[in-house]
Amino acid sequence: MWTSPSPSLTRRGLLGAGGAVALGALISACGGGGGGKSEASPSGGAWTFTDDRGTAVKLKSRPTRVVGYVGALAALYDFGVDRQIVGVYGPTKLKDGKPDPQAGNLPVDRLTIIGNAYGEFNIEKYASLRPELLVDNMFIKDELFYVPAESKDKIYALAPQVAISAGSVALPKPIERTAALAAALGADLGSAKVTAAKARFDKAVESLRAAVKANAGLKVLAASASPDLFYASSPNKNTDLIYFKELGLDLIVPDKLGQDGYFEDLSWENADKYKADVIMLDSRTQALQPKDLGSKPSWKDLPAVKAGQVIAWQPEPRFSYEGCAPIIEALAQTIRTAKKTG
């Protein structure tokens, strides 16, 4: 999930012959959270979708004006949801005006940005979009990411919400649930683009599984860096780390996790608490990167850093096959070539 580099954030083989049919069957099976279902009439009839809170959204017709968190919308866009998306919040544009990496392939220049940072959510601008559906990822039960707690009631009153669970579940699940929502919104999951992305994802998964098996014994730490703290992340909470662990990756489990169980705060003096051969370092724009850490002697002394075995990590992966395949490919390559440091 969102290993926080900032105190303000502490409160990311069905294909082949007949593959499109198989993928469609998978999405139909995953259509609703908690045993619910999704239904949509292509002719404009009643539309329902049960989200991962167990909330059944029921509308008179398929929503045509969708607003949401940048990561959730970027994943929907990968699955083929496009013109319905009208507004976005969360890290969408960088200071130079270019799209934030978390925006993925979203056409951000045509979208209304109602907040670009944590705590920013312009309710008036949101209301002006006449939203019919709000879509978000949910890392903590019943909390929609980047929706300010102090104004959530006003926000929720303007449109129904769909939340996709993005914490404490393995990576394929939020991808499947996002795909199910995309299908309910009219996306074609049998398109060549989506089926090719699924095939690439499956191949990447097998590549990582093989790399882990071939280079057994490597210790891997997922972490995030801020000016004052080094955050060691739990592989039992972050959806991608849970999955990588299932594939055999030996991820270090911090022993003094915070209240939500996502990470352990370490002072820079104690950044060497966990001995790792490979460090997966939070690459989001709000986190410090290796180039920013030269003044931290403890960083330069870490065995993985000395060995040049630090890989960019996205705690908030885009929950689409297109978004996750390159991440898994890069990790597989790192594990394949990494050396033990101890």
Side-chain angles (χ1 to χ4, degrees):
M1 175 269 206
W2 45 275
T3 307
S4 170
S6 162
S8 66
L9 293 186
T10 52
R11 47 149 189 122
R12 169 140 24 115
L14 291 169
L15 301 172
V21 175
L23 180 57
L26 167 66
I27 300 309
S28 295
C30 297
K37 61 182 181 178
S38 61
E39 298 175 354
S41 169
S43 60
W47 186 91
T48 69
F49 189 88
T50 301
D51 77 354
D52 290 344
R53 298 170 298 179
T55 300
V57 176
K58 299 179 180 181
L59 301 173
K60 292 181 178 179
S61 61
R62 175 182 288 154
T64 60
R65 301 187 64 78
V66 177
V67 177
Y69 177 65
V70 61
L73 296 184
L76 286 174
Y77 188 84
D78 287 345
F79 280 116
V81 179
D82 185 358
R83 301 309 302 187
Q84 301 102 304
I85 300 173
V86 296
V88 61
Y89 56 91
T92 305
K93 283 190 176 183
L94 301 174
K95 292 180 180 179
D96 61 6
K98 294 179 180 178
D100 188 285
Q102 286 184 245
N105 302 311
L106 275 176
V108 296
D109 287 338
R110 77 162 171 82
L111 303 180
T112 297
I113 299 173
I114 59 177
N116 199 59
Y118 191 80
E120 292 180 2
F121 197 112
N122 188 315
I123 299 177
E124 290 74 20
K125 190 177 290 188
Y126 176 54
S128 73
L129 290 174
R130 295 174 287 112
E132 297 173 2
L133 188 70
L134 183 146
V135 179
D136 207 332
N137 292 331
M138 181 174 63
F139 293 100
I140 299 172
K141 182 176 173 58
D142 296 332
E143 290 189 18
L144 273 61
F145 201 37
Y146 271 68
V147 172
E150 63 275 13
S151 52
K152 67 178 183 179
D153 290 343
K154 292 180 180 179
I155 294 167
Y156 292 169
L158 293 170
Q161 316 88 46
V162 165
I164 301 296
S165 182
S168 303
V169 294
L171 184 61
K173 184 64 174 179
I175 296 177
E176 291 163 5
R177 293 290 291 136
T178 301
L181 177 58
L185 289 170
D188 177 12
L189 300 185
S191 70
K193 178 177 182 287
V194 174
T195 53
K198 178 64 167 66
R200 181 181 175 184
F201 176 88
D202 287 344
K203 184 178 180 180
V205 167
E206 292 311 312
S207 177
L208 178 56
R209 195 194 307 272
V212 169
K213 186 175 181 180
N215 200 1
L218 287 174
K219 294 285 186 181
V220 181
L221 176 67
S224 185
S226 75
D228 300 319
L229 294 171
F230 185 64
Y231 300 88
S233 295
S234 171
N236 299 321
K237 279 286 191 176
N238 291 64
T239 181
D240 57 338
L241 302 183
I242 291 171
Y243 191 48
F244 299 157
K245 188 177 178 182
E246 290 179 358
L247 295 175
L249 192 65
D250 189 357
L251 283 153
I252 292 169
V253 182
D255 56 27
K256 291 185 179 180
L257 297 169
Q259 180 179 354
D260 295 324
Y262 275 95
F263 50 84
E264 177 180 354
D265 298 359
L266 296 171
S267 66
W268 277 106
E269 291 76 12
N270 295 312
D272 61 351
K273 177 177 179 179
Y274 301 107
K275 309 302 180 184
D277 301 302
V278 175
I279 293 176
M280 299 168 60
L281 189 69
D282 186 351
S283 63
R284 293 172 300 170
T285 53
Q286 68 262 40
L288 297 183
Q289 303 307 305
K291 63 180 178 59
D292 307 315
L293 297 172
S295 63
K296 307 287 186 186
S298 53
W299 169 256
K300 293 184 288 186
D301 290 340
L302 295 176
V305 177
K306 286 184 175 180
Q309 295 177 172
V310 177
I311 182 175
W313 173 45
Q314 298 177 38
E316 293 179 58
R318 233 159 65 227
F319 294 123
S320 67
Y321 298 115
E322 183 176 348
C324 290
I327 295 172
I328 300 174
E329 289 168 349
L331 179 58
Q333 176 62 23
T334 295
I335 298 303
R336 191 178 298 116
T337 59
K339 308 294 183 184
K340 295 183 180 64
T341 58

